[in-house]
Amino acid sequence: MKTELTEDIIDSANRKLFNWGELRRYKELFYFFTWRDIKIKYKQTSLGFLWAVLQPLLMMTIFTLFFGTALQIPSHNLPYPVYVFSGLLIWNIFASGLTNAANSMVNNATIIKKIYFPRLIIPVSSILVAIFDFLMAFILFIGILLFYQQPVSWVALVCWPLAILLSMVATLGPGCWLAALNVKYRDFRYVIPFLVQVLFFMTPIIYPVYLLKHPVLQYIIVASPMYAVVELFRFPLTQVIPNPTFLLISLCSGVFLLLIGIIYFRRTEDFFADFA
């Protein structure tokens, strides 16, 4: 009896945009890469996980002194520290996740060259590290809400998890795109911090969008994929319904960047081992 030998060919051209079955088979790697990156990030640090809390706390203090106290920036009738910290809290998912994801393929070059697994797992795991930091800082956020006796609507049970999910969507597309570019063009590692800073000031974290009187500037600001996320996260606190058109523009921007980033990542991932 002859036994026929079969050969499996791994070819990105024949893969789906999201191969859920393949990702499910390798689901343990999400935990492995995420927990490994968390341990590396806080290894040999004296304060450990407290760094995830101190960063937004210090930024909140600085912005409160200069923008809330000195410039009297309006804040939807919220105490300005609550207004700023709520924005910084959800923004840090994007900022940290984008930075981690953009450098993830280069940082994991050794593993990429040795074995096959869905490469998409690496940038996704990098974003999950940012979610862990968010949860650490969220504990402090609850304390700030109690300190200022800030009421929170019950819709937070829906809005906050949805905002976290949308922040991951907003981060994954640009993160995958930059990760693929960074493998081939190492100059992007120097562009990423500057890009994150520019996007920070182009997203209404420390100021409300209505503060900008010119309509063109408002449309530029709301084109940020994080605009809808920030407004949705703050809604249980402010009870101010955002402009539906602005929200739609921001959500469409996030979906568009997600598709563009994933498509470019999938089309170029076969060459990662050569360039990494």
Side-chain angles (χ1 to χ4, degrees):
M1 180 180 296
K2 295 183 179 180
T3 303
E4 295 185 359
L5 298 178
T6 60
E7 182 180 3
D8 293 330
I9 300 176
I10 300 172
D11 182 8
S12 62
N14 297 323
R15 298 180 199 147
K16 300 176 183 178
L17 188 61
F18 286 101
N19 192 332
W20 300 111
E22 186 180 44
L23 292 175
R24 188 164 53 249
R25 287 196 300 272
Y26 290 89
K27 61 182 180 295
E28 293 84 2
L29 290 181
F30 286 106
Y31 169 80
F32 170 78
F33 283 116
T34 302
W35 185 239
R36 184 207 59 177
D37 290 346
I38 291 173
K39 290 192 294 184
I40 291 175
K41 183 176 181 180
Y42 296 107
K43 185 179 181 181
Q44 296 180 344
T45 58
S46 301
L47 297 180
F49 298 145
L50 285 178
W51 283 114
V53 177
L54 287 176
Q55 181 183 358
L57 180 62
L58 292 175
M59 293 294 289
M60 178 201 72
T61 303
I62 293 172
F63 287 130
T64 298
L65 291 175
F66 286 95
F67 292 90
T69 304
L71 299 179
Q72 296 293 313
I73 300 294
S75 55
H76 287 308
N77 296 321
L78 289 178
Y80 195 75
V82 175
Y83 182 83
V84 172
F85 196 90
S86 61
L88 288 171
L89 184 62
I90 196 69
W91 165 260
N92 280 344
I93 295 179
F94 178 82
S96 179
L98 182 63
T99 303
N100 295 340
N103 295 304
S104 60
M105 304 308 298
V106 175
N107 293 339
N108 290 278
T110 305
I111 299 177
I112 294 173
K113 293 178 179 179
K114 289 183 177 179
I115 59 174
Y116 171 78
F117 57 90
R119 305 309 190 204
L120 192 61
I121 290 177
I122 294 180
V124 171
S125 299
S126 300
I127 297 172
L128 292 177
V129 175
I131 297 295
F132 176 84
D133 291 344
F134 167 87
L135 294 176
M136 295 296 101
F138 187 80
I139 299 173
L140 177 61
F141 180 56
I142 297 299
I144 292 174
L145 294 178
L146 293 175
F147 178 80
Y148 285 97
Q149 299 181 350
Q150 174 61 44
V152 181
S153 172
W154 65 269
V155 296
L157 298 175
V158 177
C159 290
W160 286 352
L162 182 58
I164 295 172
L165 178 61
L166 291 177
S167 69
M168 294 181 65
V169 171
T171 308
L172 183 58
C176 287
W177 181 59
L178 289 173
L181 288 174
N182 201 21
V183 170
K184 190 174 182 180
Y185 308 104
R186 300 302 170 87
D187 305 70
F188 276 91
R189 71 175 68 184
Y190 305 108
V191 176
I192 293 165
F194 173 74
L195 178 64
V196 170
Q197 287 183 339
V198 171
L199 291 175
F200 174 81
F201 289 103
M202 291 184 62
T203 306
I205 307 296
I206 58 177
Y207 60 88
V209 70
Y210 66 78
L211 194 64
L212 304 172
K213 302 303 180 183
H214 202 290
V216 175
L217 291 177
Q218 291 184 357
Y219 280 105
I220 292 175
I221 294 300
V222 302
S224 167
M226 285 298 293
Y227 167 79
V229 176
V230 172
E231 292 297 319
L232 184 63
F233 191 80
R234 281 185 176 141
F235 177 69
L237 307 175
T238 63
Q239 296 292 297
V240 176
I241 300 176
N243 186 316
T245 303
F246 289 174
L247 286 180
L248 182 60
I249 292 173
S250 179
L251 291 173
C252 290
S253 173
V255 173
F256 175 76
L257 291 175
L258 175 67
L259 294 176
I260 294 298
I262 296 296
I263 290 172
Y264 184 80
F265 185 91
R266 297 288 281 176
R267 287 185 176 180
T268 58
E269 64 178 322
D270 282 345
F271 305 100
F272 288 169
D274 298 327
F275 291 105

